[in-house]
Amino acid sequence: MLLNIAPYPRRSSRPLLLGIALLVVTVMAAEGSRLLTLEGQTLSPIWPISGLFLGAILARGWRTLPWLMLGYALWLLGLQHFSWQATAWVVVGMAIGSGCAALLLRTSFARFENATPLQRLSVFYLCAAVIGAGINASFGTLGYLANTKSTIAAYSHTDIALVYWAFEAFGIMLFTPLAYLLLQQGTLSVQELKSDCQRSAMMIWAGCTGALLVGIALSDWLSNVAYAGLTAMVLLPLMFWFFLQANRSSTALMIPLIMTTYVLAARFGWGGLKPIQDIQGLLDTLLIAAAMTLVVQLFNAMAQERNRLIQTFREQANTDFLTGLHNSRFLNTTLTEVLTSTPATSAPPYWLTLFELVDIEPLTDLYSLQQIQTLEQHVASQLAYCTPTNAVLARLSSGRFAILCRQHERDTNTLCEQLYAQFNQRIVDVDGEPIRLRVALASVALTQTAATTATSPSYYLNAATHALFDAKERVERWLLVSDTVPLLHTHQQQAQQLEVLKTALYGNGLRLFVQPIAALQHDLAGHYYEVLLRLQTPTGDLLSPVAFLPIAEQYGLMVEVDRWVIEHTFRTLHEQPTWQARTHCCAINLSGASLTHEETATYIREQQQRFAIPAHIIRFEITETERIGDVQIAMTLIDSLKQDGFSVALDDFGAGLSSFAYLKLFNVDCIKIDGQFIRQLTSNALDQAIVKSMRDVARTEALCTVAEFVEDHSTQALLTELGIHYAQGYGIAKPMPMADLFLIEG
């Protein structure tokens, strides 16, 4: 429906000017309508006054009514020479009918706030065209009878009232929407009309329609039945296409324009139409025009509903369902527009900032879905309040938001700093549950340089994601990146390394190496060695663990790596019984990830039983320097390994702050003294004192000791003198393939 009644606007700053304008328009519209009447008659099929009254009251309120009544009265008295009595009846009737219709419409539209355009059109016809026009017609008939007594005998009072009613209703149907839109949102209506006129599609439509109408006016097409059908087939789709595409103000103007053109053609016989000769012809024209108006307005209402649904679908496609913010689709579209329209040298640049709730995954496991959704809605509303007004704020996924804003780097730095201070460690009450937030932010500049020519949103989204990943590793988890090239290059290298590692892990690219460990206090009946790992690249190069294990730790592959080493070590010893028989102790490293994995003990037990490996020759080394996420799970694992007959060593002892605490917590058999205390042992008295203290602690707990990074014979001799049990390092032997070790006679 063309009408979507809004609250009355604030009082006009120039009420006198508005009133005078309404008075003048009323007189001009009423007098202009008389151009369509028959000679000697006072009825016009086009009657804009009833529509102007109702539209003005709906748009500007009751303060417009005195001016409208005054203009109408002046026209009746001065130009139509009505008597005072007839003028009073007609003007008062118009005011009462229009006022009642306005009240009914406002009440109905307010009550049915979510009504469809078709429902609104039905209400409009009932309240305005039936009730309002009926009241107008009742009073108008009395005025007409009072002013034209000579023609009364030809018609009954009922006929006069019904005809009057039809003319008033038609005027309301045509002109109320147009008057309302022009008076309620004049500037916006003009802008909508201007916008439609500037569209190339509308210009083509206007040209086609205008050419067709001119052709009709200058020919006898409509007098020929064949041509008339063809004309209708062309005109109707053109009209319907217009209503599907045009703005509301354009359709409100087009409907009375079309109907006025039709009545003009019928009145004066244009385009082959038979001219109107009498009152009956005028009524016939009115009925046809009213029927056409009804059809056009019904179609227009359906077109508006269609356009509303399309607009709703578009908004839904670009809106996050949970928070009401924009979504990733809208962000991608906006990024594409920015990257393709912004010159490379423009300043300031756009910045893309990612904001993430770091703990969203564990929170999702701990709290209900409703609580997590409430939390995200709260964060979204606060982000919308804190971000600049010109920023595009979008929710990308659970707990992750994006901010796109054009500003200087210092302003972006300030924004990130403020958002981090505002949200990090903030406690949010969600349904009575206090939830402490941890957040991370990363901003990347959308600048295009000689090294950066990307215009794809995915490039910068990828860069921002990598920057966010790096930000999470910082103490204050926020980061600004003005040049994305080095960032993406680094992460691209890591991605390549990760793929090489996965290919090796799940293919045949890993190699078992061992490093012998020498006994310092007694001879060994067999080999004592630590299992090490090498990665063979497609080119045949062997990479040390330093080159690929950090990637495995970073991307959560350490459990798989540990299991590969365990399985292949056990398999090798099983397939080489002589190697197994000559093994005194085989040390295998367990990462912190495996140490806190609840199924590690079960996996080790299954592999031992599968390959029939004696548990007493296997020693698992746990490193003190790697973070152990759950100490209780680690303690349970170590106890389980001990019960199965394996031994356990605490690696890198002394390198961290928790060495002696771990020694109290974990039931280990051996400590491996970190190399930082061994490298300068022969020349550093402090290192000697520390090693002695570790030896004394080990003796108290009946633990064996292994010194790492033994590089020369003098260090080996001193360690022997200090009572250290074993030595490991390049001074003893370098890492070698497992087969090479057993070529050495034990």
Side-chain angles (χ1 to χ4, degrees), residues 374-397:
T374 302
L375 174 65
E376 290 203 65
Q377 289 169 344
H378 172 81
V379 171
S381 65
Q382 292 300 307
L383 274 176
Y385 178 78
C386 296
T387 52
T389 54
N390 64 333
V392 174
L393 177 60
R395 176 177 179 259
L396 304 184
S397 59

Side-chain angles (χ1 to χ4, degrees), residues 637-656:
L637 171 63
I638 292 172
D639 291 341
S640 178
L641 293 175
K642 296 277 289 181
Q643 291 173 6
D644 290 340
F646 300 102
S647 61
V648 180
L650 187 58
D651 198 6
D652 301 321
F653 189 78

